[in-house]
Amino acid sequence: MSSLSATQADGFYVPPEYFDSGKYKKQSRNQFAGSKGHNQFLQKGVVRFELPYKGVCEKCRQSIGRGTRYNAQKSNTGDSYFTTPIWEFQMTCRNC
């Protein structure tokens, strides 16, 4: 039977070896467990993207309607508009 002392204030169980190893001073719990991230962007750089306006596929010239959703590769271009970073989204057309 578990005790209440096994859970922290946030309700997550932290194994005793996390504290015994001394790694809690250097790493977060996710890094200690070997996690690569908790969402698609942190794992593979993929985000769910919806077109804000209609567009045309540059490869097959197919018209793409506004509101069409894609899994897009998100990358930083390195440029910025004042202090706002500019992002680039790459996605494939459903017909390609």
Side-chain angles (χ1 to χ4, degrees):
M1 191 160 130
S2 65
S3 65
L4 291 176
S5 63
T7 60
Q8 300 294 320
D10 56 4
F12 293 107
Y13 173 74
V14 180
E17 54 271 1
Y18 177 72
F19 292 110
D20 294 341
S21 66
K23 292 192 175 189
Y24 69 94
K25 297 176 183 174
K26 300 174 188 145
Q27 296 178 331
S28 69
R29 279 189 302 226
N30 289 336
Q31 291 170 338
F32 177 76
S35 174
K36 295 179 183 172
H38 65 281
N39 60 27
Q40 283 185 344
F41 178 66
L42 293 177
Q43 291 174 359
K44 298 178 274 189
V46 175
V47 295
R48 189 73 173 161
F49 185 78
E50 182 175 342
L51 290 178
Y53 44 83
K54 65 180 181 177
V56 176
C57 176
E58 293 181 351
K59 191 173 182 181
C60 66
R61 307 301 296 167
Q62 177 71 29
S63 177
I64 303 170
R66 178 177 159 241
T68 306
R69 293 188 176 125
Y70 292 97
N71 286 332
Q73 290 288 111
K74 179 180 173 182
S75 60
N76 195 341
T77 61
D79 297 331
S80 61
Y81 179 75
F82 293 106
T83 58
T84 305
I86 297 174
W87 296 94
E88 177 182 22
F89 297 93
Q90 297 175 355
M91 58 199 103
T92 56
C93 174
R94 292 180 182 169
N95 297 331
C96 293

Short mmCIF file of all heavy atoms in Angstrom, two decimals, residues 15-61:
data_model
loop_
_atom_site.label_atom_id
_atom_site.label_comp_id
_atom_site.label_asym_id
_atom_site.label_seq_id
_atom_site.Cartn_x
_atom_site.Cartn_y
_atom_site.Cartn_z
N PRO A 15 10.23 8.52 -8.17
CA PRO A 15 10.88 7.35 -7.59
C PRO A 15 12.03 7.74 -6.67
O PRO A 15 12.69 8.76 -6.88
CB PRO A 15 11.39 6.58 -8.81
CG PRO A 15 11.47 7.58 -9.89
CD PRO A 15 10.42 8.60 -9.61
N PRO A 16 12.31 6.95 -5.65
CA PRO A 16 13.37 7.27 -4.70
C PRO A 16 14.75 7.35 -5.36
O PRO A 16 15.59 8.15 -4.96
CB PRO A 16 13.33 6.14 -3.68
CG PRO A 16 12.04 5.46 -3.87
CD PRO A 16 11.56 5.76 -5.25
N GLU A 17 14.98 6.54 -6.41
CA GLU A 17 16.30 6.59 -7.06
C GLU A 17 16.56 7.92 -7.77
O GLU A 17 17.69 8.29 -8.03
CB GLU A 17 16.51 5.42 -8.01
CG GLU A 17 15.48 5.19 -9.06
CD GLU A 17 14.33 4.29 -8.63
OE1 GLU A 17 14.27 3.82 -7.50
OE2 GLU A 17 13.45 4.10 -9.47
N TYR A 18 15.51 8.68 -8.07
CA TYR A 18 15.67 10.02 -8.64
C TYR A 18 16.39 10.93 -7.65
O TYR A 18 17.29 11.68 -7.99
CB TYR A 18 14.31 10.59 -9.03
CG TYR A 18 14.35 11.99 -9.57
CD1 TYR A 18 14.86 12.27 -10.83
CD2 TYR A 18 13.84 13.05 -8.83
CE1 TYR A 18 14.87 13.55 -11.32
CE2 TYR A 18 13.85 14.33 -9.31
CZ TYR A 18 14.37 14.58 -10.56
OH TYR A 18 14.38 15.86 -11.06
N PHE A 19 15.99 10.86 -6.38
CA PHE A 19 16.62 11.69 -5.37
C PHE A 19 17.95 11.10 -4.89
O PHE A 19 18.89 11.83 -4.59
CB PHE A 19 15.68 11.89 -4.18
CG PHE A 19 14.48 12.72 -4.51
CD1 PHE A 19 13.23 12.14 -4.56
CD2 PHE A 19 14.61 14.06 -4.79
CE1 PHE A 19 12.13 12.90 -4.87
CE2 PHE A 19 13.50 14.84 -5.10
CZ PHE A 19 12.26 14.24 -5.15
N ASP A 20 18.03 9.78 -4.82
CA ASP A 20 19.26 9.12 -4.35
C ASP A 20 20.43 9.35 -5.30
O ASP A 20 21.58 9.43 -4.87
CB ASP A 20 19.03 7.61 -4.20
CG ASP A 20 18.03 7.30 -3.10
OD1 ASP A 20 17.81 8.18 -2.24
OD2 ASP A 20 17.47 6.19 -3.11
N SER A 21 20.15 9.47 -6.59
CA SER A 21 21.23 9.63 -7.56
C SER A 21 21.81 11.05 -7.58
O SER A 21 22.89 11.27 -8.09
CB SER A 21 20.72 9.29 -8.97
OG SER A 21 19.75 10.23 -9.37
N GLY A 22 21.07 12.01 -7.03
CA GLY A 22 21.55 13.40 -7.04
C GLY A 22 21.32 14.09 -8.36
O GLY A 22 21.72 15.24 -8.54
N LYS A 23 20.68 13.42 -9.32
CA LYS A 23 20.45 14.02 -10.64
C LYS A 23 19.36 15.08 -10.62
O LYS A 23 19.22 15.83 -11.57
CB LYS A 23 20.13 12.94 -11.66
CG LYS A 23 21.31 12.05 -11.95
CD LYS A 23 21.05 11.19 -13.15
CE LYS A 23 22.30 10.42 -13.47
NZ LYS A 23 22.22 9.71 -14.72
N TYR A 24 18.57 15.13 -9.56
CA TYR A 24 17.51 16.13 -9.51
C TYR A 24 18.08 17.55 -9.48
O TYR A 24 17.40 18.50 -9.81
CB TYR A 24 16.58 15.89 -8.31
CG TYR A 24 17.21 16.14 -6.96
CD1 TYR A 24 17.07 17.37 -6.34
CD2 TYR A 24 17.93 15.15 -6.32
CE1 TYR A 24 17.65 17.60 -5.11
CE2 TYR A 24 18.48 15.36 -5.09
CZ TYR A 24 18.35 16.60 -4.49
OH TYR A 24 18.91 16.83 -3.27
N LYS A 25 19.35 17.68 -9.12
CA LYS A 25 19.98 18.99 -9.12
C LYS A 25 20.41 19.40 -10.52
O LYS A 25 20.60 20.57 -10.79
CB LYS A 25 21.20 18.99 -8.21
CG LYS A 25 20.86 18.72 -6.76
CD LYS A 25 22.10 18.64 -5.92
CE LYS A 25 21.75 18.28 -4.49
NZ LYS A 25 22.93 18.06 -3.67
N LYS A 26 20.55 18.43 -11.43
CA LYS A 26 21.07 18.70 -12.77
C LYS A 26 20.03 18.52 -13.87
O LYS A 26 20.15 19.12 -14.92
CB LYS A 26 22.24 17.77 -13.05
CG LYS A 26 23.38 17.90 -12.09
CD LYS A 26 24.43 16.86 -12.33
CE LYS A 26 25.45 16.93 -11.21
NZ LYS A 26 25.99 15.67 -10.85
N GLN A 27 19.04 17.65 -13.66
CA GLN A 27 18.10 17.31 -14.72
C GLN A 27 16.66 17.40 -14.22
O GLN A 27 16.40 17.26 -13.03
CB GLN A 27 18.33 15.87 -15.20
CG GLN A 27 19.66 15.64 -15.84
CD GLN A 27 19.82 14.18 -16.24
OE1 GLN A 27 19.26 13.30 -15.61
NE2 GLN A 27 20.59 13.94 -17.27
N SER A 28 15.76 17.60 -15.16
CA SER A 28 14.35 17.54 -14.81
C SER A 28 13.92 16.08 -14.74
O SER A 28 14.64 15.18 -15.13
CB SER A 28 13.52 18.29 -15.85
OG SER A 28 13.52 17.58 -17.07
N ARG A 29 12.71 15.85 -14.29
CA ARG A 29 12.20 14.48 -14.19
C ARG A 29 12.10 13.84 -15.58
O ARG A 29 12.36 12.66 -15.74
CB ARG A 29 10.83 14.47 -13.53
CG ARG A 29 10.90 14.55 -12.04
CD ARG A 29 9.55 14.31 -11.47
NE ARG A 29 8.60 15.27 -11.99
CZ ARG A 29 7.74 15.93 -11.25
NH1 ARG A 29 7.65 15.71 -9.98
NH2 ARG A 29 6.91 16.79 -11.79
N ASN A 30 11.71 14.62 -16.60
CA ASN A 30 11.58 14.07 -17.94
C ASN A 30 12.93 13.66 -18.50
O ASN A 30 13.07 12.64 -19.16
CB ASN A 30 10.92 15.07 -18.88
CG ASN A 30 9.46 15.25 -18.57
OD1 ASN A 30 8.83 14.37 -17.99
ND2 ASN A 30 8.91 16.39 -18.93
N GLN A 31 13.96 14.46 -18.26
CA GLN A 31 15.30 14.11 -18.74
C GLN A 31 15.83 12.89 -18.01
O GLN A 31 16.51 12.05 -18.58
CB GLN A 31 16.25 15.29 -18.56
CG GLN A 31 15.93 16.45 -19.47
CD GLN A 31 16.74 17.68 -19.10
OE1 GLN A 31 17.22 17.82 -17.99
NE2 GLN A 31 16.87 18.59 -20.05
N PHE A 32 15.51 12.78 -16.73
CA PHE A 32 15.95 11.63 -15.93
C PHE A 32 15.32 10.34 -16.47
O PHE A 32 15.94 9.31 -16.54
CB PHE A 32 15.56 11.84 -14.47
CG PHE A 32 15.91 10.67 -13.59
CD1 PHE A 32 17.21 10.45 -13.20
CD2 PHE A 32 14.93 9.80 -13.15
CE1 PHE A 32 17.55 9.38 -12.39
CE2 PHE A 32 15.24 8.73 -12.35
CZ PHE A 32 16.57 8.53 -11.96
N ALA A 33 14.05 10.42 -16.88
CA ALA A 33 13.33 9.25 -17.38
C ALA A 33 13.66 8.95 -18.84
O ALA A 33 13.23 7.95 -19.37
CB ALA A 33 11.83 9.46 -17.23
N GLY A 34 14.42 9.82 -19.51
CA GLY A 34 14.78 9.59 -20.91
C GLY A 34 13.74 10.06 -21.89
O GLY A 34 13.72 9.61 -23.04
N SER A 35 12.87 10.96 -21.48
CA SER A 35 11.82 11.45 -22.36
C SER A 35 12.41 12.38 -23.42
O SER A 35 13.32 13.15 -23.16
CB SER A 35 10.77 12.22 -21.55
OG SER A 35 9.84 12.81 -22.40
N LYS A 36 11.88 12.30 -24.65
CA LYS A 36 12.33 13.18 -25.73
C LYS A 36 11.43 14.40 -25.87
O LYS A 36 11.67 15.25 -26.70
CB LYS A 36 12.34 12.40 -27.04
CG LYS A 36 13.35 11.29 -27.05
CD LYS A 36 13.31 10.54 -28.34
CE LYS A 36 14.27 9.38 -28.30
NZ LYS A 36 14.13 8.52 -29.44
N GLY A 37 10.38 14.48 -25.11
CA GLY A 37 9.45 15.59 -25.19
C GLY A 37 8.03 15.08 -25.03
O GLY A 37 7.77 13.90 -25.20
N HIS A 38 7.13 15.98 -24.76
CA HIS A 38 5.77 15.55 -24.50
C HIS A 38 4.81 15.84 -25.65
O HIS A 38 3.63 15.57 -25.56
CB HIS A 38 5.25 16.22 -23.22
CG HIS A 38 5.13 17.71 -23.33
ND1 HIS A 38 6.21 18.54 -23.23
CD2 HIS A 38 4.06 18.49 -23.57
CE1 HIS A 38 5.81 19.79 -23.38
NE2 HIS A 38 4.52 19.79 -23.59
N ASN A 39 5.29 16.41 -26.75
CA ASN A 39 4.41 16.64 -27.88
C ASN A 39 5.15 16.42 -29.19
O ASN A 39 6.35 16.18 -29.22
CB ASN A 39 3.81 18.05 -27.82
CG ASN A 39 4.85 19.14 -27.84
OD1 ASN A 39 5.93 18.96 -28.36
ND2 ASN A 39 4.52 20.28 -27.27
N GLN A 40 4.41 16.48 -30.31
CA GLN A 40 4.99 16.19 -31.62
C GLN A 40 6.09 17.17 -31.99
O GLN A 40 7.07 16.80 -32.62
CB GLN A 40 3.91 16.26 -32.70
CG GLN A 40 3.01 15.09 -32.76
CD GLN A 40 2.06 15.20 -33.94
OE1 GLN A 40 1.89 16.25 -34.53
NE2 GLN A 40 1.44 14.09 -34.28
N PHE A 41 5.93 18.45 -31.63
CA PHE A 41 6.93 19.45 -32.02
C PHE A 41 8.26 19.19 -31.33
O PHE A 41 9.31 19.26 -31.95
CB PHE A 41 6.44 20.85 -31.71
CG PHE A 41 7.45 21.91 -32.05
CD1 PHE A 41 7.82 22.13 -33.36
CD2 PHE A 41 8.07 22.65 -31.07
CE1 PHE A 41 8.78 23.09 -33.70
CE2 PHE A 41 9.01 23.61 -31.39
CZ PHE A 41 9.36 23.82 -32.70
N LEU A 42 8.23 18.86 -30.05
CA LEU A 42 9.47 18.60 -29.34
C LEU A 42 10.12 17.30 -29.80
O LEU A 42 11.34 17.18 -29.79
CB LEU A 42 9.22 18.54 -27.83
CG LEU A 42 8.82 19.86 -27.18
CD1 LEU A 42 8.53 19.64 -25.70
CD2 LEU A 42 9.88 20.91 -27.36
N GLN A 43 9.33 16.33 -30.24
CA GLN A 43 9.88 15.06 -30.68
C GLN A 43 10.38 15.12 -32.12
O GLN A 43 11.49 14.69 -32.42
CB GLN A 43 8.83 13.96 -30.55
CG GLN A 43 8.51 13.63 -29.12
CD GLN A 43 7.37 12.63 -29.03
OE1 GLN A 43 6.82 12.21 -30.04
NE2 GLN A 43 7.02 12.25 -27.83
N LYS A 44 9.55 15.63 -33.04
CA LYS A 44 9.89 15.56 -34.46
C LYS A 44 9.81 16.89 -35.19
O LYS A 44 10.03 16.93 -36.39
CB LYS A 44 8.93 14.58 -35.15
CG LYS A 44 9.01 13.17 -34.64
CD LYS A 44 8.03 12.27 -35.32
CE LYS A 44 6.71 12.38 -34.60
NZ LYS A 44 5.71 11.42 -35.03
N GLY A 45 9.46 17.97 -34.51
CA GLY A 45 9.32 19.27 -35.18
C GLY A 45 8.04 19.38 -35.99
O GLY A 45 7.97 20.17 -36.92
N VAL A 46 7.01 18.58 -35.64
CA VAL A 46 5.77 18.56 -36.39
C VAL A 46 4.67 19.25 -35.59
O VAL A 46 4.52 19.02 -34.40
CB VAL A 46 5.34 17.10 -36.69
CG1 VAL A 46 3.99 17.05 -37.36
CG2 VAL A 46 6.37 16.43 -37.56
N VAL A 47 3.92 20.13 -36.26
CA VAL A 47 2.79 20.80 -35.64
C VAL A 47 1.55 20.60 -36.50
O VAL A 47 1.65 20.35 -37.70
CB VAL A 47 3.04 22.31 -35.44
CG1 VAL A 47 4.15 22.55 -34.46
CG2 VAL A 47 3.32 23.00 -36.75
N ARG A 48 0.38 20.69 -35.90
CA ARG A 48 -0.88 20.63 -36.63
C ARG A 48 -1.16 22.04 -37.10
O ARG A 48 -1.25 22.97 -36.32
CB ARG A 48 -1.98 20.12 -35.72
CG ARG A 48 -3.27 19.81 -36.41
CD ARG A 48 -3.14 18.56 -37.22
NE ARG A 48 -4.44 18.19 -37.75
CZ ARG A 48 -4.60 17.39 -38.76
NH1 ARG A 48 -3.58 16.84 -39.34
NH2 ARG A 48 -5.80 17.09 -39.19
N PHE A 49 -1.30 22.21 -38.42
CA PHE A 49 -1.39 23.54 -39.01
C PHE A 49 -2.66 23.63 -39.84
O PHE A 49 -3.00 22.70 -40.58
CB PHE A 49 -0.16 23.78 -39.90
CG PHE A 49 -0.07 25.15 -40.47
CD1 PHE A 49 0.35 26.21 -39.70
CD2 PHE A 49 -0.41 25.39 -41.78
CE1 PHE A 49 0.45 27.48 -40.22
CE2 PHE A 49 -0.32 26.66 -42.32
CZ PHE A 49 0.10 27.70 -41.54
N GLU A 50 -3.37 24.75 -39.74
CA GLU A 50 -4.56 25.01 -40.55
C GLU A 50 -4.30 26.24 -41.39
O GLU A 50 -3.85 27.26 -40.88
CB GLU A 50 -5.76 25.23 -39.63
CG GLU A 50 -7.05 25.46 -40.37
CD GLU A 50 -8.24 25.57 -39.44
OE1 GLU A 50 -8.15 25.15 -38.29
OE2 GLU A 50 -9.27 26.08 -39.90
N LEU A 51 -4.57 26.12 -42.68
CA LEU A 51 -4.31 27.25 -43.58
C LEU A 51 -5.23 28.42 -43.23
O LEU A 51 -6.44 28.28 -43.19
CB LEU A 51 -4.54 26.85 -45.04
CG LEU A 51 -3.53 25.89 -45.63
CD1 LEU A 51 -3.92 25.55 -47.07
CD2 LEU A 51 -2.15 26.47 -45.60
N PRO A 52 -4.68 29.61 -43.00
CA PRO A 52 -5.51 30.77 -42.66
C PRO A 52 -6.22 31.36 -43.87
O PRO A 52 -7.17 32.12 -43.73
CB PRO A 52 -4.51 31.76 -42.06
CG PRO A 52 -3.20 31.37 -42.62
CD PRO A 52 -3.26 29.90 -42.89
N TYR A 53 -5.75 31.05 -45.08
CA TYR A 53 -6.37 31.53 -46.31
C TYR A 53 -6.12 30.51 -47.41
O TYR A 53 -5.30 29.62 -47.26
CB TYR A 53 -5.81 32.89 -46.71
CG TYR A 53 -4.31 33.00 -46.58
CD1 TYR A 53 -3.47 32.53 -47.58
CD2 TYR A 53 -3.73 33.54 -45.44
CE1 TYR A 53 -2.10 32.60 -47.45
CE2 TYR A 53 -2.36 33.62 -45.31
CZ TYR A 53 -1.56 33.16 -46.32
OH TYR A 53 -0.20 33.23 -46.19
N LYS A 54 -6.89 30.63 -48.51
CA LYS A 54 -6.74 29.63 -49.56
C LYS A 54 -5.39 29.80 -50.25
O LYS A 54 -4.82 30.88 -50.29
CB LYS A 54 -7.89 29.70 -50.56
CG LYS A 54 -7.96 30.97 -51.36
CD LYS A 54 -9.14 30.90 -52.31
CE LYS A 54 -9.20 32.17 -53.12
NZ LYS A 54 -10.27 32.14 -54.09
N GLY A 55 -4.89 28.68 -50.78
CA GLY A 55 -3.58 28.70 -51.42
C GLY A 55 -3.52 27.73 -52.57
O GLY A 55 -4.51 27.08 -52.92
N VAL A 56 -2.35 27.64 -53.18
CA VAL A 56 -2.12 26.77 -54.32
C VAL A 56 -0.86 25.95 -54.04
O VAL A 56 0.16 26.50 -53.61
CB VAL A 56 -1.96 27.59 -55.62
CG1 VAL A 56 -1.64 26.69 -56.80
CG2 VAL A 56 -3.21 28.39 -55.91
N CYS A 57 -0.92 24.64 -54.32
CA CYS A 57 0.25 23.79 -54.17
C CYS A 57 1.25 24.15 -55.26
O CYS A 57 0.89 24.24 -56.44
CB CYS A 57 -0.17 22.32 -54.29
SG CYS A 57 1.23 21.18 -54.24
N GLU A 58 2.50 24.38 -54.88
CA GLU A 58 3.52 24.77 -55.85
C GLU A 58 3.98 23.62 -56.72
O GLU A 58 4.58 23.83 -57.76
CB GLU A 58 4.71 25.40 -55.13
CG GLU A 58 4.37 26.72 -54.48
CD GLU A 58 5.56 27.35 -53.78
OE1 GLU A 58 6.62 26.68 -53.66
OE2 GLU A 58 5.44 28.50 -53.36
N LYS A 59 3.71 22.38 -56.29
CA LYS A 59 4.17 21.22 -57.04
C LYS A 59 3.16 20.79 -58.10
O LYS A 59 3.50 20.63 -59.27
CB LYS A 59 4.43 20.07 -56.07
CG LYS A 59 5.14 18.90 -56.66
CD LYS A 59 5.50 17.90 -55.57
CE LYS A 59 6.27 16.73 -56.15
NZ LYS A 59 6.59 15.75 -55.12
N CYS A 60 1.88 20.62 -57.70
CA CYS A 60 0.88 20.12 -58.66
C CYS A 60 -0.13 21.19 -59.07
O CYS A 60 -1.05 20.90 -59.83
CB CYS A 60 0.15 18.91 -58.08
SG CYS A 60 -0.85 19.29 -56.63
N ARG A 61 -0.01 22.40 -58.57
CA ARG A 61 -0.88 23.53 -58.90
C ARG A 61 -2.34 23.29 -58.52
O ARG A 61 -3.25 23.87 -59.09
CB ARG A 61 -0.78 23.89 -60.39
CG ARG A 61 0.63 24.13 -60.91
CD ARG A 61 1.37 25.23 -60.21
NE ARG A 61 0.72 26.52 -60.41
CZ ARG A 61 1.00 27.61 -59.72
NH1 ARG A 61 1.93 27.57 -58.80
NH2 ARG A 61 0.39 28.74 -59.95
#
